[in-house]
Amino acid sequence: MTRWIASAKAAAVAAQNYAADACARSAARIAPESKVESKLADREQRLVHSHAWIATTAEALTATAGWAERGANAGRFGAIEELVLRVGFGEYCAQLIGGVPMSQTEFARPGELGLANAAAKLAANPAVVLFLDEGNTVETRAALAEHLTHGERPDESLDDEMLDMIRETFRKFTADRITPNAHRWHMADELIPIEVIDEMAELGVFGVCIEEEYGGLGLGKLAMCLVSEELSRGWICAGSLGTRSEIAGELIGEGGTDEQKTYWLPLLASGEILPTAVFTEPDIGSDLASLRTRATRQADGSWQINGAKNWITHASRAHLMTILCRTAPDTPGYAGLSMLLASKTSGSEENPFPDDGMEGSEIDVLGYRGMKEYAIGFDDFSVADNALLGGAEGQGFKQLMRTFEGARIQTAARAIGVAQNAFDLGLRYALDRQQFGQPLIAFPRVSDKLALMITEITFARELTYSASRHKDEGKRCDIEAGMAKLLAARVAWSSADQAVQIHGGNGYAMEYEISRILCDARILNIFEGAAEIQAHVVGRGLVAAK
């Protein structure tokens, strides 16, 4: 077994060297004077994004090699872990050499990127050759599927008693309170019941990362990942409830005045108030510099907001809106944006938006239904005079950017939970469903799917945990967070798609839970920064850091 770990570490180094070659190629095209030029980066998007995917794959290999080594040191690297390592390294090394999938139809192929010689060097590396020959084979996938059939799962211990306890606590809560009800809530297009939210609040879901002095748990992003992952394994909406508080808590904790922290953070941590993020506008997705919603200071110091916002999650039930708006209309771009902490009345089904100066309409969506999405219009909506985050104008975009690392790591964790849910349903169906006198899992094309699903989930999980550790160590991790979300979202979608395929026609029936998972998984490649945005951030960031 140590042979495979040593080979994995060596193959990961070779993959990182290949990624460095891709970075050099990208830098030559978009940073000819050693500084990234935005117009060139946009023009060379295909190259930049391909480089990002190559680097993400290499980083996933590195993170998973670390997982294997830690497990071995603790005596937890057994047969199933070896098989996951072999299958995953065999598959991802082959992708690096032949083409990393950026979507179903787009691949980062070495020949197109001027990396044919670098790919040939990677393919000749002895450790890589070992995985190509003996990693992802018919035999290893079949052996891995056999272990899965007997209820075995790859090691997920974090070598930390408290963190392992957090996982078990939320796994049990999800199994008891979320999983049995999620599909019914989804089909009825209902909000998650408030009593379930209250139970989540008692468990500390909304204050995981808020400091203890403000009533939170004072834990880090790795703990937040575990909570989000386990809740999302029951339903993505349960895992996403904490995202609103995570964003608001980090905005206020990092950028708020002492008064704002003292007032808002304890209320957020306890779940007494629920926040919503009010950033996006119609026809303006990721182009935040073009936001038009205005906030105008009044004679008494208060603010009046006018404009339209779109895709606002959990807006009706929320008590606090973090609103990104333009307070300096004559200042173009990001510099004119500020963040306001706006109180609102929590609405009801009969009257979702009872406050004067604010109205909203629900956006019907395929999935992700448990909090509902809204388009909101502001018409002289009044906000208190002390609502300006940090008490300074023009800081809104910078304040928001500081939260993106945590939000994207948390989104990656949600994606892992969704992927796990898809795997669970796919495996159960493959074991229970009989065709031609035997269970579906007896057919290699079915067992292969499940073996690759659990493998990719493990790789995406370890990449996400690696990003969260960077964040917890106080390091800048926008690149790592982007990589985690990039891979985890792809894995969630592919896992859901494969699980539907295992279900066959029943997977297309709305009464089966996997139909919900497919709808929920699709959003992960879009919100908190679409996959193309993530790839652009990662690719540019790597070149800039070179």
Side-chain angles (χ1 to χ4, degrees):
M1 291 182 185
T2 54
R3 169 202 182 205
W4 289 109
I5 295 173
S7 296
K9 292 169 67 176
V13 171
Q16 292 285 9
N17 290 336
Y18 176 60
D21 289 335
C23 186
R25 176 71 174 168
S26 186
R29 299 289 286 274
I30 70 171
E33 304 297 328
S34 300
K35 183 178 180 180
V36 174
E37 297 183 21
S38 295
K39 288 184 178 179
L40 291 178
D42 289 343
R43 190 184 73 190
E44 298 289 345
Q45 207 177 68
R46 176 79 183 207
L47 174 61
V48 173
H49 294 193
S50 294
H51 161 219
W53 273 105
I54 289 168
T56 296
T57 304
E59 200 63 35
L61 291 169
T62 301
T64 308
W67 160 79
E69 186 172 34
R70 288 191 302 274
N73 291 338
R76 297 191 309 270
F77 190 78
I80 190 171
E81 286 77 27
E82 179 191 311
L83 289 165
V84 164
L85 191 72
R86 290 171 63 181
V87 170
F89 265 75
E91 175 59 28
Y92 279 13
C93 285
Q95 288 185 9
L96 288 170
I97 295 163
V100 177
M102 299 190 291
S103 72
Q104 286 89 337
T105 57
E106 299 168 290
F107 297 84
R109 293 193 173 99
E112 295 179 13
L113 306 173
L115 294 170
N117 290 337
K121 182 180 178 181
L122 176 64
N125 180 277
V128 173
V129 170
L130 177 65
F131 283 110
L132 292 176
D133 290 345
E134 302 180 38
N136 184 20
T137 67
V138 171
E139 293 78 16
T140 53
R141 293 193 301 272
L144 177 52
E146 182 68 18
H147 284 279
L148 298 174
T149 299
H150 294 297
E152 297 180 52
R153 299 293 181 270
D155 176 46
E156 57 187 13
S157 175
L158 289 155
D159 297 306
D160 184 300
E161 187 175 342
M162 183 187 66
L163 291 173
D164 288 340
M165 182 185 69
I166 288 172
R167 184 194 294 282
E168 288 306 313
T169 297
F170 281 93
R171 181 167 294 178
K172 185 178 186 304
F173 173 80
T174 298
D176 291 344
R177 299 293 289 126
I178 305 299
T179 303
N181 301 302
H183 202 60
R184 174 171 55 82
W185 294 333
H186 165 82
M187 292 293 287
D189 197 10
E190 294 177 352
L191 291 169
I192 296 178
I194 197 67
E195 57 268 23
V196 175
I197 293 179
D198 291 341
E199 292 175 41
M200 291 169 64
E202 289 178 13
L203 289 172
V205 169
F206 305 114
V208 173
C209 294
I210 292 175
E211 295 297 332
E212 290 182 90
E213 65 180 296
Y214 297 112
L217 299 181
L219 300 174
K221 300 302 181 187
L222 184 52
M224 176 265 293
C225 279
L226 297 177
V227 172
S228 302
E229 178 184 336
E230 293 302 329
L231 289 171
S232 297
R233 193 169 182 171
W235 193 18
I236 189 176
C237 298
S240 297
L241 274 169
T243 310
R244 314 301 114 199
S245 297
E246 174 73 18
I247 292 172
E250 192 159 0
L251 277 170
I252 297 168
E254 293 284 337
T257 64
D258 289 341
E259 178 188 9
Q260 289 167 341
K261 294 176 186 178
T262 301
Y263 179 76
W264 288 113
L265 291 179
L267 295 173
L268 288 168
S270 68
E272 185 176 341
I273 67 165
L274 298 171
T276 186
V278 186
F279 308 144
T280 309
E281 295 186 3
D283 301 320
I284 298 173
S286 300
D287 184 16
L288 295 178
S290 299
L291 290 183
R292 293 189 291 266
T293 295
R294 304 184 316 280
T296 307
R297 181 80 82 168
Q298 304 301 294
D300 62 358
S302 65
W303 299 85
Q304 279 192 347
I305 299 181
N306 289 275
K309 293 288 185 177
N310 213 19
W311 296 111
I312 310 305
T313 305
H314 216 196
S316 172
R317 190 185 258 167
H319 311 84
L320 167 66
M321 298 181 290
T322 52
I323 306 177
L324 186 65
C325 51
R326 192 165 295 284
T327 54
D330 296 329
T331 302
Y334 300 125
L337 300 178
S338 300
M339 190 73 69
L340 295 183
L341 306 175
S343 295
K344 66 175 285 293
T345 304
S346 180
S348 63
E349 188 172 342
E350 298 76 23
N351 189 9
F353 296 98
D355 294 310
D356 292 336
M358 179 183 181
E359 59 182 24
S361 58
E362 185 180 346
I363 302 171
D364 292 329
V365 290
L366 294 172
Y368 197 53
R369 295 176 175 178
M371 294 178 291
K372 296 187 180 289
E373 301 293 324
Y374 294 90
I376 294 176
F378 296 107
D379 184 8
D380 288 344
F381 179 76
S382 183
V383 179
D385 58 351
N386 62 353
L388 185 65
L389 181 63
E393 290 188 48
Q395 300 300 306
F397 181 75
K398 294 179 183 178
Q399 291 163 338
L400 180 59
M401 287 301 102
R402 286 198 291 269
T403 73
F404 274 9
E405 292 179 354
R408 285 171 177 167
I409 292 170
Q410 201 256 12
T411 300
R414 285 185 282 171
I416 294 163
V418 171
Q420 286 276 11
N421 197 349
F423 169 80
D424 293 341
L425 293 172
L427 177 61
R428 186 175 71 194
Y429 194 85
L431 290 170
D432 293 345
R433 178 74 166 180
Q434 296 280 325
Q435 289 287 283
F436 307 104
Q438 55 187 333
L440 287 178
I441 200 166
F443 296 95
R445 286 293 304 282
V446 174
S447 61
D448 278 356
K449 288 176 173 61
L450 292 162
L452 286 163
M453 283 164 65
I454 199 65
T455 296
E456 283 211 284
I457 289 167
T458 302
F459 276 58
R461 184 190 70 196
E462 292 309 313
L463 182 61
T464 300
Y465 291 177
S466 177
S468 68
R469 291 186 182 101
H470 272 80
K471 185 70 173 175
D472 286 339
E473 291 168 3
K475 299 175 182 176
R476 178 178 174 177
C477 66
D478 54 335
I479 293 172
E480 291 81 2
M483 287 179 171
K485 183 185 181 298
L486 200 60
L487 181 61
R490 190 189 76 188
V491 169
W493 173 247
S494 65
S495 297
D497 188 39
Q498 296 287 45
V500 167
Q501 192 70 21
I502 291 170
H503 280 70
N506 286 335
Y508 205 62
M510 292 183 68
E511 67 181 279
Y512 280 79
E513 291 180 75
I514 192 59
S515 67
R516 178 187 88 243
I517 310 307
L518 186 74
C519 293
D520 289 345
R522 192 61 189 88
I523 192 61
L524 288 158
N525 253 321
I526 299 173
F527 67 10
E528 301 296 345
E532 292 78 9
I533 294 295
Q534 297 305 305
H536 211 62
V537 168
V538 170
R540 283 189 52 147
L542 288 168
V543 170
K546 188 174 179 294

